[in-house]
Amino acid sequence: MSVNNNYKNTAPAPRKRGPGTAGVIAVILLAVLFAAAIFLFVINRWEIVIRVNGPSAVTGECGEPYRDQGAEAEVTGSILSSVHHQIPVTASAEGVNIHEPGEYKVTYTAKFLWISETAARTVSIVDTTPPQIELLTVEDHYTLPHHPYEEEGYTATDNHDGDITDRVTSQERDGIVYYSVSDEAGNIATAEREIYYDDRNAPVISFEGPEEVFLFKGDSWKDDVRAEDDADGDVTDRVEYETDLNTRKVGTYTVTYTVTDEWGNTATKKRFVTVKPVPAKAPKKMDPKKVIYLTFDDGPGPYTEELLKILKKHKVKATFFVTAAYEDYRDLIKKEYKAGHSIGIHTATHRYEDVYESTDAYWEDFNEMEDIIQAQIGRRVDIFRFPGGSSNTISANYCEGIMTELTQQAGEKGYAYFDWNITSGDAGDTTSGDVMYDNMMEGIHKYENSVILCHDVKDYTVKMMDRFLTDALEEGYTFLPITSDSPGAHHGVNN
Ligand code: ZN
């Protein structure tokens, strides 16, 4: 207290503060700040952390939109790691071409003050999408069987390559067309088309010449029919025909041809065949009582040529019922025919046990002989004589009732058969020319129309013929060759 009193009346002396408290504080503050700055920016290091959203490598399909998931960035300190300061990120994705397969990079950049950081993402654009084939169809389109498919059209497009229609290949196999196309990346697309087959047209039947054909009775005729199908090609061998044609009977016949293609389309075409009578030479006016049909059976043989000379000498036309017995003399059939004689069928073998075994056996043997005759004279004949004549009973040993059937069938087939009313007797009764002469002369005096049975395979028959012809002609008889409308001198069937 006293101190305070001592200085009671004096002005207080200015207080001296020495270096000053404020300066110390400022220095301390500065030091603290400096230390803090050292800590903040030297001891503690700031860094930018970029977090790429999503995977660091992504794959995108060519042509499909690519949307980057971006990235985020923050600033954080190495010691002050609890600091997380978000900062903006810029991304450069301009390199990614979604239309071109390849590997691209998206770069992310973040900056804060003087530091910056980058990160990247790899983007692979790939093409795994196959192209697409579209098959076009044409309305009512069809393919003919056995024919190649006619393309209706197609298109092919690819997500990367665009229109690749011109790269499509196709192959036809077992009714299916297989299409295939590949894009540049090797992706393959395929398609299939089942071929629709159809055949709407029947084959076309054709033949040469007009629909109507004229033949003379006895002519042989073979049609030249052909058939062509749009799908199957030449189908001539499938043509079937139906006809009642009988070239040995005058009349008009229809031949109906039918052919069916594999698809079942049937075509039919008709042809009309008219068989006309053979134009006959004007018949001579004659006394019907004086006609002789001289017939010679079983040849031609070794004596036939001699007989032909005798007939020629007397200008006599006869009839030969021929067989195939003498192969070496077969060409005499032609000579007989050319000389104006009639030719008839007498079977090829003339063996009773064979020809009368059955009706089929008979006609088979008969046809064989007819073919031989046709080969010689170039036409078919329509007259014949049964071995043993129609009245023979030998045939009953082999087939009961066969003569009844054969005579009927002959008419149906257009053949006329001829027996005889006079036999010369040369078939075993006699070898004497005199006896034969008597038999024949007696016979011709008896009948209006004489059909005389002789055999030109007997030398004694040929030898006596000159005498008989001389005398018969002398008596005014006319000799005629047999034609299908000559009197038949039928014996009457006995089996
Ligand atoms: Zn005979």
Side-chain angles (χ1 to χ4, degrees):
M1 283 305 217
S2 63
V3 171
N4 284 347
N5 293 334
N6 288 344
Y7 292 97
K8 199 177 176 176
N9 297 313
T10 60
R15 211 167 170 174
K16 281 195 180 165
R17 293 197 189 165
T21 309
V24 172
I25 290 168
V27 168
I28 289 168
L29 272 173
L30 277 172
V32 167
L33 278 173
F34 182 74
I38 292 295
F39 175 76
L40 274 174
F41 299 109
V42 180
I43 297 171
N44 174 66
R45 297 177 66 87
W46 295 106
E47 54 187 13
I48 296 170
V49 177
I50 298 177
R51 272 195 313 279
V52 176
N53 295 330
S56 62
V58 294
T59 301
E61 185 63 31
C62 176
E64 281 175 21
Y66 171 73
R67 198 167 157 272
D68 196 80
Q69 293 179 61
E72 285 166 11
E74 61 181 20
V75 177
T76 187
S78 58
I79 292 169
L80 295 173
S81 57
S82 59
V83 174
H84 296 285
H85 176 62
Q86 294 283 328
I87 55 169
V89 177
T90 57
S92 72
E94 70 271 11
V96 179
N97 182 352
I98 59 163
H99 299 292
E100 199 50 54
E103 205 165 88
Y104 302 95
K105 262 191 165 42
V106 179
T107 308
Y108 306 98
T109 308
K111 280 184 179 156
F112 183 72
L113 298 179
W114 60 91
I115 54 174
S116 71
E117 185 60 68
T118 62
R121 188 202 310 271
T122 305
V123 178
S124 299
I125 298 297
V126 293
D127 180 8
T128 63
T129 308
Q132 287 199 320
I133 298 177
E134 194 193 343
L135 300 180
L136 308 178
T137 55
V138 174
E139 201 188 336
D140 204 29
H141 184 275
Y142 66 92
T143 301
L144 283 173
H146 309 302
H147 284 239
Y149 170 71
E150 207 174 290
E151 185 57 57
E152 288 162 87
Y154 49 78
T155 59
T157 50
D158 182 62
N159 60 334
H160 174 251
D161 304 354
D163 185 344
I164 53 170
T165 303
D166 58 354
R167 283 188 230 159
V168 175
T169 58
S170 69
Q171 216 179 10
E172 184 184 331
R173 205 165 58 243
D174 300 329
I176 294 173
V177 186
Y178 297 90
Y179 299 88
S180 179
V181 70
S182 172
D183 67 9
E184 272 174 19
N187 299 301
I188 291 170
T190 60
E192 287 179 23
R193 185 204 298 272
E194 199 175 329
I195 300 172
Y196 174 67
Y197 289 104
D198 199 1
D199 180 4
R200 301 177 182 179
N201 299 314
V204 175
I205 299 174
S206 63
F207 37 66
E208 276 181 32
E211 272 183 11
E212 211 172 340
V213 178
F214 292 96
L215 303 175
F216 286 119
K217 188 178 164 187
D219 284 352
S220 58
W221 180 68
K222 196 168 174 287
D223 206 351
D224 50 7
V225 68
R226 291 183 42 77
E228 186 86 18
D229 185 58
D230 56 353
D232 305 351
D234 188 342
V235 290
T236 303
D237 57 350
R238 287 188 226 157
V239 175
E240 291 180 355
Y241 68 93
E242 219 184 276
T243 185
D244 54 352
L245 173 63
N246 186 341
T247 59
R248 296 179 197 92
K249 266 189 176 174
V250 171
T252 296
Y253 305 91
T254 306
V255 186
T256 306
Y257 296 102
T258 307
V259 65
T260 302
D261 66 17
E262 279 179 22
W263 210 255
N265 300 306
T266 298
T268 300
K269 194 165 172 131
K270 288 183 191 300
R271 198 156 206 192
F272 305 99
V273 181
T274 299
V275 178
K276 300 205 268 190
V278 179
K281 291 166 199 160
K284 292 175 197 162
K285 294 251 166 149
M286 67 182 81
D287 180 348
K289 287 181 182 171
K290 294 193 171 184
V291 174
I292 297 171
Y293 299 96
L294 190 55
T295 69
F296 295 95
D297 289 10
D298 300 0
Y303 316 112
T304 307
E305 187 133 35
E306 178 61 25
L307 174 64
L308 287 172
K309 282 182 195 159
I310 296 166
L311 293 170
K312 188 177 181 186
K313 175 184 154 192
H314 293 283
K315 297 192 175 75
V316 162
K317 304 301 178 199
T319 301
F320 291 87
F321 290 106
V322 295
T323 69
Y326 301 88
E327 203 172 343
D328 290 347
Y329 295 96
R330 224 169 254 180
D331 56 350
L332 288 177
I333 296 173
K334 189 179 193 171
K335 208 164 177 181
E336 290 163 353
Y337 178 73
K338 287 206 160 172
H341 305 295
S342 279
I343 308 296
I345 301 161
H346 196 38
T347 72
T349 65
H350 201 287
R351 281 193 299 269
Y352 292 114
E353 69 269 30
D354 291 338
V355 299
Y356 292 134
E357 190 194 350
S358 70
T359 54
D360 284 349
Y362 183 84
W363 292 117
E364 193 184 321
D365 185 291
F366 182 99
N367 291 335
E368 186 188 331
M369 192 61 221
E370 182 165 28
D371 289 344
I372 291 169
I373 294 170
Q374 189 175 18
Q376 290 293 330
I377 72 173
R379 57 167 299 176
R380 305 192 79 82
V381 297
D382 56 3
I383 60 171
F384 75 104
R385 175 172 282 167
F386 288 106
S390 67
S391 61
N392 83 78
T393 52
I394 309 159
S395 59
N397 298 337
Y398 309 106
C399 184
E400 199 69 44
I402 191 171
M403 297 313 297
T404 307
E405 281 189 66
L406 288 177
T407 49
Q408 193 187 328
Q409 288 171 355
E412 288 162 4
K413 288 171 184 280
Y415 296 101
Y417 69 92
F418 290 84
D419 289 320
W420 57 88
N421 50 16
I422 299 165
T423 174
S424 64
D426 66 350
D429 297 337
T430 183
T431 57
S432 157
D434 290 342
V435 175
M436 287 172 67
Y437 176 86
D438 290 343
N439 288 343
M440 290 158 75
M441 289 308 283
E442 194 184 318
I444 61 174
H445 293 150
K446 212 155 66 181
Y447 296 108
E448 292 183 356
N449 293 292
S450 297
V451 184
I452 307 175
L453 172 68
C454 300
H455 295 81
D456 53 321
V457 293
K458 311 284 189 184
D459 59 342
Y460 42 86
T461 304
V462 173
K463 275 185 191 145
M464 60 74 64
M465 203 49 68
D466 183 52
R467 181 184 166 206
F468 170 71
L469 293 178
T470 306
D471 292 354
L473 288 167
E474 181 75 29
E475 289 187 22
Y477 286 91
T478 301
F479 287 85
L480 288 179
I482 289 176
T483 59
S484 57
D485 43 13
S486 301
H490 287 172
H491 290 167
V493 170
N494 296 316
N495 172 33

